[in-house]
Amino acid sequence: MSFRGFLANLTLQIFKPMKNLFAVFFFTLFSISAFSKDGYELWLDYPRIESSALKTEVETLFSGIYFFGQEPTQEVIRKELQIAGNKMLGKDPVFTQERLDRTRLWLGTREELAQVLGLETQMKIRNLGPEGYWRGSIDFQGKSYYAIIGNQPVGILYGVFDWLKSIQTETFDPKSEKSDAPKVKLRMLNHWDNLDRTVERGYAGFSIWDWHKLPGYIDPRYIDYARANASLGINAVSLTNVNANARILTTDFMKKAKVLADLFRPYGIKVFLTARFSAPMEIGGLKTADPLDPDVIAFWKKKTEEMYSFIPDFGGFLVKANSEGQPGPHEYGRNHAEGANMLADALAPYGGIVIWRAFVYSHEIDEDRHKQANLEFEPLDGKFRDNVIIQVKNGAIDFMPREPFHPLFGAVKNTNLGMEFQITQEYLGQATQLVYLAPMWEETLRSKTYRPTPSSMVAGIIDGSDSGQKLTLMAGVSNIGTDRNWTGHLFGQANWYAFGRQAWNPYLNSEEIAQEWIKMTFGQNPEVLSKTKEIMLESREAAVNYMNPLGLHHIMGRSHHYGPAPWVEGGRADWTSLYYHRADSLGIGFDRTATGSNALGQYAHEISQVWSDPNQIPEKHLLWFHHLPWDFELKSGNTLWEGIGLHYDQGVKTAREMKSQWDSLQGQIDPERFSHVSQLLAIQVQEAEWWRNACLLYFQTFAKRPFPTEIEQPQGDLEYFKSLDFPFAPGIRPRW
Amino acid sequence: MSFRGFLANLTLQIFKPMKNLFAVFFFTLFSISAFSKDGYELWLDYPRIESSALKTEVETLFSGIYFFGQEPTQEVIRKELQIAGNKMLGKDPVFTQERLDRTRLWLGTREELAQVLGLETQMKIRNLGPEGYWRGSIDFQGKSYYAIIGNQPVGILYGVFDWLKSIQTETFDPKSEKSDAPKVKLRMLNHWDNLDRTVERGYAGFSIWDWHKLPGYIDPRYIDYARANASLGINAVSLTNVNANARILTTDFMKKAKVLADLFRPYGIKVFLTARFSAPMEIGGLKTADPLDPDVIAFWKKKTEEMYSFIPDFGGFLVKANSEGQPGPHEYGRNHAEGANMLADALAPYGGIVIWRAFVYSHEIDEDRHKQANLEFEPLDGKFRDNVIIQVKNGAIDFMPREPFHPLFGAVKNTNLGMEFQITQEYLGQATQLVYLAPMWEETLRSKTYRPTPSSMVAGIIDGSDSGQKLTLMAGVSNIGTDRNWTGHLFGQANWYAFGRQAWNPYLNSEEIAQEWIKMTFGQNPEVLSKTKEIMLESREAAVNYMNPLGLHHIMGRSHHYGPAPWVEGGRADWTSLYYHRADSLGIGFDRTATGSNALGQYAHEISQVWSDPNQIPEKHLLWFHHLPWDFELKSGNTLWEGIGLHYDQGVKTAREMKSQWDSLQGQIDPERFSHVSQLLAIQVQEAEWWRNACLLYFQTFAKRPFPTEIEQPQGDLEYFKSLDFPFAPGIRPRW
């Protein structure tokens, strides 16, 4: 083109609409390095306060903070206020030395501030326990002050985070008071992180623990990790994979773990490690790991002693034993209680605990995997030490998109039970899908167990209110990795967030949690709030629909668990899809009633009675417990075959709606995060279609019936779907 | 010292400083998330311009940029100017539509701006070739303009980056003109990245290529990677490990690679892939990979055709064959030329090339590994196609801290030879040590080969000026990973930077490159500049001293190559330390003279003659070529044993000086980067001491002589050092 020819339309050319995807990247992602919103800040971005009334209020409080405590936790509170003040207001908070004149905000423990508190307030605060906080206004000598008070420094920390949240979400009301305390004692992340930095079922890069450079090098990320957890009240973390490596218990690695424990302590976070049951043989030079062997007992005592010499407040051991090939007490003819109690005795003098996983199933036992935990643990009820807690997955199989609650909840009376949720989305879209998990957890927590009391529900077992247990635990398998935004998918952050909130209070509503998270993550824009909330709240049911509707389960890809593979067969039976869906020419589903495995018999009578009837059981659990004919009539009047098709199709449609909802927010969300989510939602739609097409085409080979006419007809070649193979999918043992 | 005693000492060494450091973290790293200098921006941070004269000058130029080209490369130039303008000046550049009135800066190709250029300038620019650029002032119709001009858009891109660099380093002079063009045609990064995101010899996290999420998801980092490379003139990149996986050549992975190629193209970067020689069997269903087999030939033709259908400017294949167990033509009785030419013929129609590595050595051949490349490639001289280039490591062993140049340089007359440097610090402190590698590369490039002409040096072989070859290549094994700062150690960035600069011009001075990088990374503070430069320039010799002085080599830990292990023996001989140092009661060193392996005989006569004499050879190469008695007299008058001790000790002392130099800059460098480097230097000092102590204590068992009194006496327990074991060291195949 000629020199002159360009002149007229130069501007047009520069700003001409993008023609293809490629151009989109250049315009949305290009300046990422300059002013990026890459998600690293999580929900702690502390944006500038826009509301001028709120700003004045907050500025006043930040301009005179009376806070004299010097404990490490109090230092980190100061630092957090410094970060928040600078980001929200553009200035440092002013910490004053004088209590009255220039002071607007008081921070301190109940004891530190006793002189200004009335007896009634003091008592109210005292009842909140070691981690609770109270915040509200206090009148003293004719003036009004705002105060955030805990019984311990960590209570102040939690109160300050809650207060900062109220500012970020523009709900701060200086006139009203608030007090809160966690309902669960141990609110814990379980990292399935290996010592070589791979992460089992990790979809957000690799382990943030850089063991090789520890103890000499401290990644600043460790501190931001602690801040994020503390902001939610998470107070415990197990650093290493439950498929454990004994080397974590060697002196070299203890020194490394000590550095992390030292960093986390001011944030109220205790460190746990996973103990490989065979460690006495692997690093102790013994010939046995028999828990009753005196040398083995001595080994663990000595190890524990050494551990506490490095980490005086070490939390204890998390143990996966006699499950999926992990060593355990059964090798020596001992039971779980004998194994767990031996470790518990070593830890007891230091106040440590044993977290023993109930996810046990054995290759040798020819029994529905669903039943094995109850078969092994019910007979041991009352046999575990007080400092042992049994960590039970939410369901009896393995973190499926929908599982009925685990029948161990309510089945034992004198055993501490903790909850294990999976935050990392092993079976829920891994890191390419937006699936907000809080509604799923809420569903479990609110499930009625009818035991120990007729009104009992899972949450009441977990928090001790129904079960009476004092040691309480909610654990979440971490979705955190080295990805810049921590969780791979930006919305994975919402799951970390929601887990923390529900662990603090298992009765919280997942919609309210979503709302909080959205405001803290994207700000106050009402359209962003409403649309994003809708996307989040429909996302889990969408995933159930396009993956595992009507109680189907465990039909994903072998080993990596990525994508659909209902055709998986061969090898260990209860690792195949065929074992779980049992489709044949007559019908589909796993009969777990009395005519089948009778796993249903492990639940309370109130449940097993109703659920045994395919016409009474909630349809969401139908094929989990029943093998039914393809023409079984659903409540809708459709046949089972039609219903399956409709659910899969609905899942795809919802995924598409989620994508178009999000895309309608373009321009209202910063381009980096907008593009990140938009690209991933496009992948999610493809994956939803893949699930629907592959599963329906496969099940049709049994049902031999046409697809319902009202659904988009599944396309693709079943043989092609079967041929797909993902040796480099994330979260599995890496290969060259 | 006892095990316990050593530990106590170690604990003291590590944890005492740690206590202080710990406090430092809270005060320096705490607010990292708010306003961090985490190194992500590399040398492209474009800080605000401080000098007001320069600012005025630059502001004027940015206020009227006449630039009408619309090619993708020209779009990315606009975007780079937008980033730079916003960061340096706080405003967007103004692109004008009119050539004269409001315009101050002209950007364009020679053809686009032909009407305003004198014939002489046009000719000058034309001679700069497709990637060259010219920048300077132009008088036109009585006014003066500044112009940046290339023959092709990529030339403008390079010119703009050079201009921005001159602004960042405050060396921009609008009055003077500058033109430049690369001396080497292919300036290339080799990623040793596996498809599961592990990186062989990677010390900066994991692979930045997220294959699993490609092609659907584009990490913004891909674009910043391209920007960084383009800013240095790096124009080629091989995405995958030379220990290759054939799956990269499947259609699914081609689609993924295509996305990267599309992103990199506007930045002038071509994509290459590694070709596994046995791919016809592994993914082609053939029974052979014999390069003369018609089906094999057809397989590669078809693969190549498919590749070009996705990536029309695909660069070609990088091949490691018949080396360290990789498959190759030897399995079929064919030689390297037959293997390489077969691939070259498949690529030739599309303009693609084969890069065939000379790093070949066979387990079966009982010959000094030093000699094998020459033995295999010299007889094939002249037999390779024109579109084949042999990629030769800088030395004949394997990227040791100091190697004499590879004897293949100068030994062949009719074979294209390219250079392979290793940027990742496999043998040079990995990611915990600051070692600036440019002086090492400079040493190699300036080594006299005496062939083909008496004045020839390695650089003249590489760039074709001595060798006459048209196809020229300098490759660097990447040190890039997912770590936020890209290279693990902040100063690893300097090695990426220096590699790019030396690939562009192999005659550049490493001190000047350091100076550029420091200014672009830390700004203009003269104390920071002088101290940091001193640290960098002494760092490589320090590493040689505390690791491998006087020509010692290959005495590091087995497999992971971390730390000292001169005691490694057993297994394959030429993978042991004993094979290389050959210490015994009489002396130490590898006799490669005519009385030994005579590897020296592969060099030009001018070299072999001088180096055969232990009294004439440069002492830095002494034990590389000679086995000498412990009492051999060095030029200093010391015995060899004393000299070894003095060198090791000097290395430690320099490392300590580096640390104290750096620490004296506290307050002059942002706290995040200051602390990052300071912590790593503390580790480096420990590692240097570990090297010195372990090696000297070990060699003393042969020398049976006291250490020189003037050195710090080596401490520690040799048995303890030998017992150390690092199964989770980075850069090796991960294990659970």
Side-chain angles (χ1 to χ4, degrees):
Chain A
M1 202 184 263
S2 77
F3 183 79
R4 233 177 278 267
F6 283 106
L7 299 186
N9 59 351
L10 182 62
T11 312
L12 265 178
Q13 295 272 8
I14 293 175
F15 299 104
K16 79 183 163 189
M18 303 118 197
K19 277 184 292 194
N20 52 34
L21 194 63
F22 182 69
V24 175
F25 293 120
F26 277 92
F27 286 85
T28 62
L29 300 182
F30 207 107
S31 57
I32 186 94
S33 60
F35 311 100
S36 61
K37 279 275 179 211
D38 54 20
Y40 182 80
E41 304 294 337
L42 296 161
W43 46 87
L44 299 175
D45 195 21
Y46 302 123
R48 284 287 163 130
I49 301 172
E50 285 171 21
S51 147
S52 68
L54 180 64
K55 191 176 173 199
T56 309
E57 193 75 58
V58 174
E59 237 164 2
T60 307
L61 294 175
F62 268 79
S63 69
I65 304 176
Y66 177 62
F67 185 30
F68 60 84
Q70 300 295 328
E71 291 194 35
T73 295
Q74 290 166 317
E75 296 294 341
V76 306
I77 293 168
R78 275 189 195 90
K79 283 288 164 188
E80 195 66 31
L81 289 168
Q82 212 155 9
I83 295 172
N86 275 286
K87 296 195 78 181
M88 297 193 306
L89 304 166
K91 44 182 134 170
D92 276 326
V94 180
F95 294 99
T96 68
Q97 314 265 338
E98 48 194 73
R99 197 172 67 197
L100 301 179
D101 285 356
R102 283 160 47 199
T103 298
R104 296 292 170 270
L105 175 65
W106 288 346
L107 303 180
T109 61
R110 181 174 47 81
E111 283 191 1
E112 284 166 356
L113 298 179
Q115 297 184 354
V116 299
L117 299 173
L119 278 183
E120 199 188 331
T121 309
Q122 285 196 51
M123 194 51 68
K124 195 191 296 177
I125 296 173
R126 182 194 291 270
N127 289 338
L128 295 167
E131 296 181 302
Y133 62 86
W134 177 93
R135 61 183 177 86
S137 73
I138 286 177
D139 291 323
F140 187 69
Q141 298 184 350
K143 277 178 74 178
S144 196
Y145 304 89
Y146 197 73
I148 305 174
I149 301 168
N151 289 303
Q152 301 292 335
V154 72
I156 316 171
L157 179 67
Y158 292 152
V160 165
F161 271 120
D162 185 67
W163 175 58
L164 292 172
K165 177 168 71 183
S166 75
I167 298 170
Q168 283 177 274
T169 55
E170 297 191 357
T171 56
F172 173 49
D173 174 6
K175 305 278 179 303
S176 74
E177 67 175 59
K178 176 175 178 187
S179 62
D180 202 1
K183 294 195 185 301
V184 174
K185 193 172 169 187
L186 282 171
R187 307 170 299 277
M188 183 170 189
L189 289 185
N190 286 184
H191 288 263
W192 286 358
D193 292 17
N194 300 310
L195 302 183
D196 62 10
R197 301 191 72 178
T198 57
V199 180
E200 188 166 346
R201 310 308 172 186
Y203 309 103
F206 294 81
S207 175
I208 58 173
W209 317 130
D210 189 350
W211 293 110
H212 181 69
K213 292 209 199 83
L214 284 168
Y217 182 74
I218 295 181
D219 188 332
R221 193 160 197 160
Y222 302 148
I223 295 163
D224 288 321
Y225 165 86
R227 291 175 54 224
N229 279 334
S231 76
L232 304 173
I234 290 171
N235 67 352
V237 47
S238 167
L239 300 171
T240 46
N241 194 352
V242 290
N243 290 321
N245 189 308
R247 197 174 279 255
I248 189 65
L249 304 176
T250 60
T251 307
D252 277 356
F253 273 87
M254 285 188 197
K255 287 178 185 166
K256 296 169 188 273
K258 174 197 165 50
V259 173
L260 296 176
D262 287 347
L263 289 168
F264 298 164
R265 188 173 299 109
Y267 291 92
I269 298 166
K270 273 191 185 183
V271 161
F272 288 69
L273 294 172
T274 48
R276 187 164 160 90
F277 204 78
S278 51
M281 297 155 78
E282 288 152 357
I283 60 168
L286 301 183
K287 293 230 162 66
T288 178
D290 180 350
L292 303 194
D293 181 278
D295 289 341
V296 171
I297 293 168
F299 166 87
W300 285 109
K301 281 207 163 145
K302 213 174 141 223
K303 264 296 150 209
T304 305
E305 185 187 359
E306 188 186 6
M307 188 67 79
Y308 280 90
S309 77
F310 288 110
I311 307 176
D313 57 351
F314 178 64
F317 296 125
L318 169 60
V319 186
K320 174 177 180 176
N322 292 122
S323 171
E324 301 184 316
Q326 290 295 307
H330 291 184
E331 274 92 292
Y332 310 98
R334 317 299 181 187
N335 63 36
H336 287 293
E338 288 166 319
N341 290 344
M342 179 272 294
L343 293 173
D345 291 341
L347 288 158
Y350 310 96
I353 68 163
V354 171
I355 303 173
W356 193 270
R357 290 176 90 234
F359 182 64
V360 296
Y361 65 95
S362 156
H363 197 39
E364 288 73 40
I365 301 171
D366 183 23
E367 179 60 88
D368 180 5
R369 184 169 142 190
H370 199 299
K371 295 171 69 179
Q372 293 195 34
N374 282 51
L375 289 175
E376 294 194 28
F377 285 90
E378 284 192 64
L380 298 175
D381 191 21
K383 302 236 165 81
F384 290 95
R385 298 278 190 271
D386 286 347
N387 63 334
V388 175
I389 186 163
I390 307 302
Q391 182 169 300
V392 188
K393 290 188 183 184
N394 56 295
I397 298 300
D398 196 8
F399 299 133
M400 293 294 111
R402 167 165 280 132
E403 294 205 28
F405 73 90
H406 198 298
L408 204 51
F409 293 115
V412 291
K413 291 202 164 71
N414 297 301
T415 304
N416 297 319
L417 295 188
M419 173 63 82
E420 177 175 319
F421 284 133
Q422 192 182 44
I423 312 172
T424 188
Q425 294 168 233
E426 177 176 0
Y427 302 103
L428 281 136
Q430 302 190 354
T432 44
Q433 296 189 21
L434 189 170
V435 184
Y436 176 54
L437 303 178
M440 177 173 81
W441 299 330
E442 188 180 342
E443 185 175 298
T444 299
L445 290 166
R446 297 192 180 185
S447 293
K448 288 192 76 170
T449 61
Y450 301 95
R451 301 183 296 197
T453 74
S455 65
S456 289
M457 59 177 177
V458 173
I461 312 288
I462 294 310
D463 75 358
S465 57
D466 283 326
S467 60
Q469 63 187 67
K470 297 234 168 55
L471 179 54
T472 57
L473 162 70
M474 196 181 300
V477 180
S478 157
N479 63 345
I480 297 164
T482 51
D483 276 5
R484 180 63 182 166
N485 69 6
W486 301 85
T487 53
H489 198 304
L490 181 72
F491 278 76
Q493 296 182 359
N495 293 328
W496 178 6
Y497 185 91
F499 168 77
R501 298 289 293 128
Q502 288 185 329
W504 178 276
N505 181 351
Y507 303 91
L508 286 180
N509 174 300
S510 56
E511 180 176 351
E512 281 167 33
I513 298 173
Q515 183 148 323
E516 261 178 36
W517 178 80
I518 296 165
K519 284 185 177 180
M520 292 173 83
T521 301
F522 295 113
Q524 311 302 315
N525 179 325
E527 192 186 343
V528 171
L529 176 62
S530 69
K531 287 187 171 169
T532 306
K533 194 167 76 178
E534 197 182 325
I535 290 170
M536 288 169 74
L537 291 179
E538 66 194 1
S539 62
R540 184 266 182 147
E541 203 60 38
V544 170
N545 278 330
Y546 62 68
M547 291 177 180
N548 287 188
L550 291 168
L552 286 171
H553 54 287
H554 208 291
I555 55 173
M556 65 291 154
R558 196 199 285 268
S559 163
H560 50 66
H561 301 165
Y562 175 64
W567 46 79
V568 166
E569 63 182 323
R572 178 169 177 160
D574 62 358
W575 284 358
T576 68
S577 300
L578 268 60
Y579 176 85
Y580 291 99
H581 65 66
R582 306 196 170 200
D584 54 29
S585 60
L586 301 176
I588 186 169
F590 196 136
D591 183 2
R592 290 193 170 106
T593 67
T595 61
S597 77
N598 200 24
L600 202 39
Q602 292 181 334
Y603 287 92
H605 181 67
E606 292 88 335
I607 293 173
S608 59
Q609 202 177 27
V610 177
W611 291 10
S612 288
D613 179 352
N615 291 305
Q616 285 194 71
I617 188 170
E619 275 182 354
K620 61 185 179 184
H621 294 321
L622 191 62
L623 303 176
W624 192 282
F625 290 104
H626 295 277
H627 186 82
L628 295 172
W630 294 109
D631 292 327
F632 174 82
E633 191 182 322
L634 298 174
K635 297 199 175 77
S636 60
N638 292 308
T639 66
L640 174 58
W641 169 247
E642 289 164 343
I644 290 174
L646 288 163
H647 274 282
Y648 272 106
D649 196 57
Q650 184 54 50
V652 170
K653 283 180 178 143
T654 311
R656 288 180 188 153
E657 278 161 26
M658 288 162 60
K659 165 98 170 93
S660 65
Q661 281 267 86
W662 179 263
D663 286 350
S664 74
L665 293 173
Q666 181 159 24
Q668 304 200 54
I669 288 171
D670 51 287
E672 292 80 6
R673 291 189 298 179
F674 173 79
S675 166
H676 164 84
V677 175
S678 180
Q679 289 187 69
L680 290 173
L681 282 168
I683 294 176
Q684 183 164 356
V685 169
Q686 285 168 10
E687 290 178 345
E689 291 166 351
W690 172 34
W691 268 95
R692 179 197 60 189
N693 295 347
C695 291
L696 289 183
L697 289 169
Y698 171 78
F699 289 131
Q700 194 185 39
T701 64
F702 300 95
K704 300 196 190 303
R705 284 158 172 80
F707 299 114
T709 51
E710 59 268 53
I711 74 167
E712 191 177 280
Q713 299 296 293
Q715 292 183 358
D717 172 359
L718 184 57
E719 290 314 307
Y720 170 74
F721 292 135
K722 287 185 181 179
S723 76
L724 291 173
D725 157 35
F726 303 93
F728 308 111
I732 51 174
R733 190 190 176 121
R735 311 189 220 166
W736 286 107
Chain B
M1 192 188 274
S2 73
F3 179 76
R4 203 177 285 264
F6 178 79
L7 282 186
N9 189 29
L10 192 72
T11 307
L12 257 176
Q13 286 180 354
I14 294 175
F15 287 95
K16 268 277 171 62
M18 188 65 91
K19 251 192 175 162
N20 302 328
L21 258 187
F22 186 67
V24 174
F25 292 122
F26 276 92
F27 290 87
T28 64
L29 298 183
F30 209 108
S31 58
I32 185 93
S33 61
F35 311 99
S36 61
K37 279 273 179 214
D38 55 21
Y40 182 79
E41 304 293 337
L42 296 162
W43 46 89
L44 298 175
D45 196 21
Y46 302 125
R48 285 287 164 129
I49 301 173
E50 285 171 20
S51 146
S52 67
L54 179 64
K55 192 178 171 196
T56 309
E57 194 73 59
V58 174
E59 238 165 0
T60 307
L61 293 175
F62 267 78
S63 69
I65 304 176
Y66 178 61
F67 183 30
F68 61 85
Q70 299 296 325
E71 291 193 34
T73 297
Q74 290 166 317
E75 297 294 345
V76 307
I77 294 168
R78 276 189 193 89
K79 282 290 164 185
E80 194 66 31
L81 290 169
Q82 214 156 8
I83 296 172
N86 274 286
K87 298 195 75 179
M88 297 192 307
L89 303 166
K91 44 182 130 169
D92 275 325
V94 180
F95 295 99
T96 68
Q97 308 200 30
E98 47 194 74
R99 195 174 68 198
L100 303 177
D101 286 358
R102 282 158 50 198
T103 298
R104 295 293 169 270
L105 175 63
W106 288 347
L107 303 181
T109 62
R110 181 175 45 80
E111 282 189 2
E112 284 166 356
L113 298 179
Q115 300 185 358
V116 298
L117 299 173
L119 278 182
E120 198 186 330
T121 309
Q122 285 198 48
M123 194 52 68
K124 196 191 293 175
I125 296 172
R126 182 193 291 271
N127 289 337
L128 295 168
E131 297 181 302
Y133 63 85
W134 178 91
R135 60 182 177 87
S137 71
I138 286 176
D139 291 324
F140 187 70
Q141 297 185 350
K143 279 178 75 177
S144 196
Y145 304 89
Y146 196 73
I148 306 176
I149 301 168
N151 288 301
Q152 301 292 334
V154 73
I156 315 172
L157 180 68
Y158 292 152
V160 165
F161 271 120
D162 185 68
W163 175 58
L164 292 172
K165 175 167 73 183
S166 76
I167 299 169
Q168 283 176 275
T169 56
E170 297 190 359
T171 56
F172 173 48
D173 175 5
K175 305 277 180 303
S176 75
E177 67 174 61
K178 177 175 175 185
S179 61
D180 202 1
K183 292 192 187 302
V184 175
K185 194 172 169 189
L186 281 170
R187 306 170 300 278
M188 184 170 188
L189 288 186
N190 287 183
H191 289 263
W192 286 357
D193 292 18
N194 301 309
L195 302 184
D196 62 10
R197 303 191 72 178
T198 57
V199 180
E200 189 166 345
R201 310 309 172 188
Y203 310 104
F206 293 81
S207 175
I208 57 173
W209 317 131
D210 189 349
W211 293 110
H212 181 68
K213 291 210 201 83
L214 283 168
Y217 183 74
I218 295 182
D219 187 331
R221 194 160 195 159
Y222 301 150
I223 293 164
D224 288 322
Y225 167 85
R227 291 174 54 221
N229 279 334
S231 77
L232 304 172
I234 289 171
N235 67 352
V237 47
S238 168
L239 301 171
T240 45
N241 193 352
V242 291
N243 291 322
N245 189 308
R247 197 173 280 255
I248 189 67
L249 304 177
T250 60
T251 307
D252 276 357
F253 273 88
M254 284 188 198
K255 286 180 186 164
K256 295 167 189 273
K258 173 196 165 51
V259 173
L260 296 176
D262 287 345
L263 289 169
F264 297 165
R265 188 173 298 111
Y267 291 93
I269 298 167
K270 274 190 184 183
V271 160
F272 288 68
L273 294 172
T274 48
R276 187 163 160 92
F277 205 78
S278 51
M281 299 156 76
E282 289 152 356
I283 60 167
L286 301 183
K287 293 233 161 69
T288 177
D290 181 349
L292 302 194
D293 180 278
D295 290 341
V296 171
I297 293 169
F299 167 87
W300 285 109
K301 280 204 164 149
K302 215 176 137 221
K303 265 295 150 211
T304 305
E305 186 186 357
E306 188 185 5
M307 189 66 79
Y308 279 90
S309 76
F310 288 110
I311 307 175
D313 58 349
F314 178 64
F317 296 125
L318 168 61
V319 186
K320 174 176 181 176
N322 290 121
S323 169
E324 299 184 318
Q326 289 296 305
H330 290 184
E331 273 92 293
Y332 309 98
R334 317 300 180 188
N335 63 36
H336 287 293
E338 288 166 317
N341 291 344
M342 180 273 294
L343 293 174
D345 290 342
L347 288 159
Y350 310 95
I353 68 163
V354 171
I355 303 173
W356 194 269
R357 292 175 90 234
F359 181 65
V360 296
Y361 65 95
S362 155
H363 196 40
E364 288 72 42
I365 301 172
D366 183 24
E367 179 60 88
D368 180 3
R369 183 168 143 191
H370 199 297
K371 294 171 70 179
Q372 293 195 36
N374 282 52
L375 290 174
E376 293 193 29
F377 285 90
E378 283 192 65
L380 298 175
D381 192 19
K383 302 235 164 83
F384 290 95
R385 299 277 189 271
D386 286 347
N387 64 333
V388 174
I389 186 162
I390 308 302
Q391 182 169 300
V392 188
K393 289 188 182 184
N394 57 296
I397 298 301
D398 196 8
F399 300 133
M400 293 292 112
R402 168 165 280 133
E403 294 206 29
F405 73 91
H406 199 297
L408 204 51
F409 293 114
V412 291
K413 291 201 164 70
N414 296 302
T415 303
N416 298 319
L417 294 187
M419 174 64 83
E420 177 175 319
F421 284 132
Q422 193 183 44
I423 311 171
T424 188
Q425 292 167 236
E426 178 176 0
Y427 301 103
L428 281 135
Q430 303 190 355
T432 42
Q433 296 189 21
L434 189 170
V435 184
Y436 177 53
L437 302 177
M440 177 173 80
W441 299 330
E442 187 181 345
E443 186 176 298
T444 299
L445 290 166
R446 298 192 181 186
S447 293
K448 289 192 76 171
T449 61
Y450 300 96
R451 302 182 295 198
T453 74
S455 66
S456 290
M457 58 179 178
V458 173
I461 311 288
I462 294 310
D463 74 357
S465 58
D466 282 327
S467 60
Q469 64 187 67
K470 298 234 165 56
L471 179 55
T472 56
L473 162 71
M474 196 181 302
V477 180
S478 156
N479 63 345
I480 296 164
T482 50
D483 275 6
R484 181 63 183 165
N485 69 8
W486 301 85
T487 53
H489 197 305
L490 182 73
F491 278 76
Q493 297 183 357
N495 293 329
W496 179 5
Y497 185 91
F499 168 76
R501 300 288 293 129
Q502 289 184 329
W504 176 278
N505 181 352
Y507 303 92
L508 286 180
N509 173 301
S510 56
E511 180 176 352
E512 282 166 30
I513 298 173
Q515 184 148 322
E516 261 178 36
W517 178 81
I518 296 165
K519 283 185 177 179
M520 293 173 81
T521 302
F522 295 112
Q524 313 301 317
N525 180 326
E527 191 185 343
V528 170
L529 176 62
S530 69
K531 286 188 172 168
T532 308
K533 194 166 78 176
E534 196 181 324
I535 290 170
M536 288 169 75
L537 292 178
E538 65 194 3
S539 61
R540 186 265 184 148
E541 203 61 38
V544 170
N545 277 331
Y546 61 68
M547 290 177 181
N548 287 188
L550 292 168
L552 286 170
H553 54 286
H554 207 292
I555 54 174
M556 66 290 153
R558 195 198 288 267
S559 162
H560 50 67
H561 301 165
Y562 175 64
W567 46 78
V568 167
E569 63 180 323
R572 179 169 176 160
D574 62 358
W575 285 357
T576 68
S577 300
L578 268 61
Y579 176 85
Y580 291 98
H581 65 66
R582 306 197 169 201
D584 56 27
S585 61
L586 301 176
I588 186 169
F590 196 136
D591 184 2
R592 292 192 169 104
T593 68
T595 61
S597 76
N598 201 23
L600 203 40
Q602 292 180 332
Y603 288 91
H605 181 67
E606 291 89 333
I607 294 172
S608 59
Q609 201 178 27
V610 177
W611 291 10
S612 288
D613 179 352
N615 291 305
Q616 286 193 67
I617 189 171
E619 274 181 355
K620 61 186 180 185
H621 295 320
L622 190 63
L623 303 176
W624 192 282
F625 291 105
H626 295 275
H627 187 83
L628 295 171
W630 295 109
D631 292 327
F632 175 83
E633 191 182 320
L634 297 174
K635 296 199 175 77
S636 61
N638 292 308
T639 66
L640 174 58
W641 168 247
E642 290 165 342
I644 290 174
L646 288 163
H647 275 281
Y648 272 105
D649 195 58
Q650 184 54 50
V652 171
K653 284 180 177 141
T654 310
R656 289 180 187 153
E657 278 161 26
M658 288 162 58
K659 165 99 170 94
S660 65
Q661 281 266 86
W662 178 263
D663 287 349
S664 74
L665 293 172
Q666 182 159 22
Q668 304 199 56
I669 289 172
D670 52 287
E672 293 81 6
R673 294 188 297 179
F674 173 79
S675 166
H676 164 84
V677 175
S678 179
Q679 288 186 71
L680 290 174
L681 282 167
I683 295 176
Q684 183 164 357
V685 168
Q686 287 170 8
E687 290 178 344
E689 291 166 351
W690 174 30
W691 269 96
R692 179 198 61 190
N693 294 347
C695 291
L696 289 182
L697 289 168
Y698 171 77
F699 289 131
Q700 193 185 40
T701 64
F702 299 95
K704 300 195 190 302
R705 287 158 171 78
F707 299 115
T709 51
E710 58 268 53
I711 74 168
E712 192 177 278
Q713 299 296 294
Q715 292 185 358
D717 172 0
L718 184 57
E719 290 314 307
Y720 171 75
F721 292 135
K722 288 185 182 181
S723 77
L724 291 173
D725 157 34
F726 303 94
F728 309 111
I732 50 172
R733 188 187 178 125
R735 312 186 220 169
W736 289 105

